[in-house]
Amino acid sequence: MLSTFASVVAESGHHNPLPAPAWLYGVFALLIFAMMLGVLFAFRQAATKLPAAHNTVAHDDHGHDAGDHH
């Protein structure tokens, strides 16, 4: 069956050209991945920028028993 399919494809002779060179698709893919990496990099450590009791951004507890955490 595979040889029959290969012979049909080889005999058809119909070729659909790509609208751009094949290497350009790789460049587009790399650019898209680079943009996604930039977005991911922009939001790095976003959770620690919000003041909360469990991270080092919250500096509201400056009592005598707070300790030296700076």
Side-chain angles (χ1 to χ4, degrees):
M1 168 133 178
L2 185 60
S3 62
T4 306
F5 178 72
S7 64
V8 169
V9 171
E11 292 176 4
S12 67
H14 185 10
H15 185 301
N16 289 330
L18 295 172
W23 60 269
L24 196 57
Y25 289 101
V27 171
F28 286 149
L30 287 176
L31 288 175
I32 290 171
F33 283 126
M35 287 189 304
M36 289 192 305
L37 180 63
V39 169
L40 183 69
F41 189 75
F43 288 101
R44 73 187 192 284
Q45 296 180 353
T48 60
K49 294 177 184 176
L50 298 174
H54 66 278
N55 61 22
T56 59
V57 178
H59 296 292
D60 294 333
D61 52 351
H62 288 294
H64 296 289
D65 59 344
D68 189 19
H69 63 279
H70 292 282

